[in-house]
């Protein structure tokens, strides 16, 4: 039985890893404050020692890195989706008598992932 609601939830949840990074950073920064409030740490020890130019360069580098990873992932997944599943190859681990049958019953010991072929144009 197929569950399209689950697939939609996975697509909508694509931003969750980024949310986890952002909230982790916020937690770290907010968690630093009680140390300053209770005089365990001095204020100057709790601030960044980077200059404005360094902060801008760091942030720009972070944005470029994240966009590169994001674009690369979308490119790879679009190629995999465009190629589709391989329905011609025999199933690994299946007995030889079922190698050429579509519905052999049972399951696979390991998942099979589609690999894009970069040599072909689609």
């Amino acid at each position: 039985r197929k569950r399209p609601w689950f697939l939609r939830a996975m697509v909508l949840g694509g931003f969750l890893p980024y949310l986890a990074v952002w909230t982790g950073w916020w937690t770290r920064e907010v968690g630093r404050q009680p140390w300053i409030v209770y005089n365990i740490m001095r204020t100057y020890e709790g601030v960044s020692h980077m200059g404005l130019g360094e902060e801008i360069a760091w942030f720009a580098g972070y944005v470029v890195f994240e966009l590169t990873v994001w674009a690369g992932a979308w490119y790879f997944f679009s190629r995999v989706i465009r190629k589709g599943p391989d329905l011609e190859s025999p199933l690994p681990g299946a007995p030889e008598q079922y190698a050429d049958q579509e519905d052999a019953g049972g399951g696979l010991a390991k998942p099979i992932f589609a690999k894009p072929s970069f040599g072909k144009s689609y």
Side-chain angles (χ1 to χ4, degrees):
R1 181 175 169 187
K2 295 184 180 184
R3 302 186 192 286
W5 61 268
F6 179 74
L7 298 176
R8 287 185 190 105
M10 292 298 101
V11 170
L12 293 174
F15 74 96
L16 291 175
Y18 297 101
L19 181 65
V21 170
W22 293 331
T23 55
W25 180 76
W26 292 335
T27 302
R28 178 177 159 224
E29 293 303 318
V30 170
R32 187 182 300 185
Q33 298 309 312
W35 294 90
I36 295 172
V37 170
Y38 291 111
N39 292 325
I40 297 173
M41 187 166 110
R42 307 293 270 158
T43 305
Y44 72 89
E45 295 173 326
V47 298
S48 172
H49 298 289
M50 289 192 301
L52 180 61
E54 293 171 315
E55 289 182 23
I56 291 172
W58 181 89
F59 183 70
Y62 176 76
V63 168
V64 168
F65 173 77
E66 286 294 323
L67 290 176
T68 302
V69 169
W70 183 82
W74 276 100
Y75 174 76
F76 174 76
F77 291 132
S78 68
R79 295 293 301 251
V80 170
I81 291 168
R82 206 174 308 135
K83 182 177 180 184
D86 179 9
L87 301 176
E88 302 299 322
S89 298
L91 299 175
E96 292 299 321
Q97 64 204 33
Y98 298 124
D100 60 347
Q101 295 181 12
E102 288 184 29
D103 187 18
L108 297 174
K110 296 179 183 176
I112 300 174
F113 298 98
K115 296 179 182 174
S117 174
F118 294 107
K120 299 178 184 177
S121 66
Y122 296 96

